[in-house]
Amino acid sequence: MSDQADMLSPDGEANIIETEYEVGQDNIQTNIGPFGLDIHNPVFMISGLTIVAFVLFTLAFQDAAGPFFNDLRGTITSIFDWFFLSAANIFVILCLVLIVTPLGKVRLGGTEAVPEYSYTGWFAMLFAAGMGIGLMFYGVSEPISHFSSSLAEGAGSPESWAPLAGAAGNEAEAQRLGMAATIFHWGLHPWAIYAVVALALALFSYNKGLPLTIRSIFYPIFGERVWGWTGHIIDTLAVFATLFGLATSLGYGAEQANAGLEFLFGWTVTDTSKVFLIIAITAIALISVVAGLDAGVKRLSEINMVLAAMLLLFVTLVGPTTEIIRGFFANLGAYAEYLPSLSNPFGRADDNFRQGWTSFYWAWWISWSPFVGMFIARVSRGRTVREFITCVLIIPSLVSVFWMTAFGGTAISQIVNDGYTAVSDASLELKLFVMLDQLPLAQITSFIGIILVIVFFVTSSDSGSLVIDTITAGGKVDAPVPQRVFWACFEGLVAIALLLGGGLGALQAAAVSTGLPFTLILLLACYAIIKGLRSEPR
């Protein structure tokens, strides 16, 4: 039996789906010079050629690309905001239901399966892949943005960016509302999106014996048609969503790393420097790609976990420690209080916040979900559904709350208690470093922050190329390394094209436009998960 078959064969009891499809049966196996290829036809061809054409078109028409992407993002988030919010609520409810029902006893991989990774290694990998760059970029900037807009005199007006009706003139309530809105974007909802995709992939691959690819999730709905054009379309959409969601995060990482280098060393930030940095970090990611999952992503993720924990501990101890600790519990309470209103899709007046922040975030998380979901599935065999969802949903959400409380709370304290306005005046990508500048050892902590962004960039690119390669290889998890190298290179190229063709607005538009169709796919996946779990031994 092949390594692929060994990986997908359940250990102990499981309800195998009988199908005549064999992993890789539609693949094209060939050699280009010394490099072997094993690619799925037509998913690789369609997605690869489309992305190459996109990069060339965006670079050729940079002046027209920026306005186009900005208009595209605004149109999608304003028309479909209710859809994104409703779908995300469904994902959270499904996860919470699975935790408390008997379906949570199902073990991924069969009744006798055992976990491949320790809790430490497993948690480090899923967290680094899930939102590492985002926490670095928005950890300071988002709490300050929501606090400032909530406190502003015009909070609650149609022009305001304040969440809900804001809290004009009420400093304490503006802080509570600002932190609740931040946690809303980084708590249960995004991790529920990841958990749905990861659980579905793990269930239908490890328990049902189907290929580890997005189309397998929909076998209970479409049957054997998932191996034809129905499945080709699903997998191709997954490739687009993954690549553009990744490019968004890589673009954010490049913006912040450049800003940090400028702040720390006087590095002049230009389009050329951003391109150079993306190329340099992509080259480092290629080394990790060649090293493989255990030697590459796992090791880098654990290093980043240690560095992130050290930075978090430092800010907690040298910042307003008592405020941070009290704020953690107070912010959880504010989150619980405001959660029903923030997650309500209808009858709200805070259009700028709901469409400009929440709709973008949900689309971004959904476009990331094939990547993060498949990566989490790859490293989660042997966990029960209850253990899996608890660890993927609850624990990272709590860590995100503490991170935002420590970094965002410290920045808000600098504004409110110290009158330090530089942190609120700085650009989004610079706010982290401006906040650290007011703490001891600023040079060292800022440098650690830059290293964290770069290593998160590398792990995201590496694991993203691994996931896209698995999809475009028809579910093969042992496809030739040159294919992963190809996708890692094009992740960097797409990020470069979007940055040059419209900056952060273009990156956000790419995530939103690919997240919209994939939301429909995830809603179908919820039904497939329930149907699949009900047939499993517990």
Side-chain angles (χ1 to χ4, degrees), residues 124-415:
M125 285 191 285
L126 73 90
F127 196 79
M131 41 183 62
I133 290 176
L135 285 177
M136 295 298 295
F137 193 91
Y138 284 108
V140 173
S141 61
E142 186 172 352
I144 287 179
S145 296
H146 296 329
F147 166 72
S148 300
S149 61
S150 297
L151 185 63
E153 187 175 331
S157 67
E159 296 77 24
S160 171
W161 282 77
L164 304 177
N170 188 335
E171 206 168 70
E173 192 58 29
Q175 184 169 346
R176 290 185 76 249
L177 180 56
M179 291 305 302
T182 301
I183 294 167
F184 173 58
H185 291 149
W186 296 87
L188 294 177
H189 284 76
W191 287 100
I193 293 167
Y194 296 157
V196 164
V197 180
L199 175 60
L201 284 166
L203 174 66
F204 286 96
S205 296
Y206 302 147
N207 294 63
K208 307 299 185 183
L210 298 179
L212 186 65
T213 188
I214 301 296
R215 70 175 72 198
S216 297
I217 299 170
F218 302 94
Y219 193 92
I221 299 173
F222 299 114
E224 291 293 316
R225 284 178 292 170
V226 297
W227 314 126
W229 273 102
T230 300
H232 299 338
I233 293 170
I234 290 171
D235 276 353
T236 302
L237 282 173
V239 171
F240 291 152
T242 303
L243 195 73
F244 287 110
L246 264 171
T248 302
S249 297
L250 301 186
Y252 278 134
E255 291 273 5
Q256 188 170 34
N258 263 287
L261 291 169
E262 179 187 36
F263 184 79
L264 206 55
F265 303 115
W267 178 315
T268 301
V269 176
T270 63
D271 286 343
T272 303
S273 69
K274 294 174 186 176
V275 170
F276 174 78
L277 189 63
I278 291 177
I279 292 173
I281 299 176
T282 300
I284 299 172
L286 291 177
I287 298 173
S288 180
V289 163
V290 174
L293 182 64
D294 289 333
V297 178
K298 180 174 180 287
R299 191 167 298 164
L300 285 173
S301 296
E302 290 175 342
I303 291 171
N304 237 24
M305 193 75 170
V306 172
L307 287 175
M310 288 171 57
L311 186 61
L312 177 61
L313 182 63
F314 174 82
V315 172
T316 302
L317 292 178
V318 305
T321 306
T322 305
E323 287 184 37
I324 291 172
I325 295 173
R326 277 204 310 256
F328 174 74
F329 297 100
N331 293 338
L332 279 175
Y335 172 51
E337 176 186 339
Y338 284 111
L339 181 60
S341 300
L342 289 168
S343 57
N344 175 28
F346 306 106
R348 290 168 56 178
D350 55 346
D351 288 350
N352 284 337
F353 172 80
R354 190 178 69 258
Q355 297 168 6
W357 282 97
T358 306
S359 293
F360 160 67
Y361 267 131
W362 287 183
W364 187 17
W365 302 144
I366 289 167
S367 68
W368 256 64
S369 63
F371 150 53
V372 181
M374 186 172 290
F375 186 75
I376 293 174
R378 285 284 302 269
V379 298
S380 299
R381 184 184 176 105
R383 309 286 177 183
T384 65
V385 170
R386 182 171 293 125
E387 177 187 20
F388 173 86
I389 293 181
T390 300
C391 289
V392 173
L393 185 66
I394 306 298
I395 295 175
S397 294
L398 291 175
V399 173
S400 296
V401 172
F402 194 76
W403 183 282
M404 292 297 183
T405 299
F407 285 79
T410 298
I412 292 173
S413 176
Q414 290 174 349
I415 297 170

Side-chain angles (χ1 to χ4, degrees), residues 6-24:
D6 287 337
M7 179 180 180
L8 298 179
S9 298
D11 300 320
E13 290 184 59
N15 189 10
I16 295 290
I17 291 178
E18 297 294 337
T19 176
E20 296 180 1
Y21 181 84
E22 295 182 6
V23 176

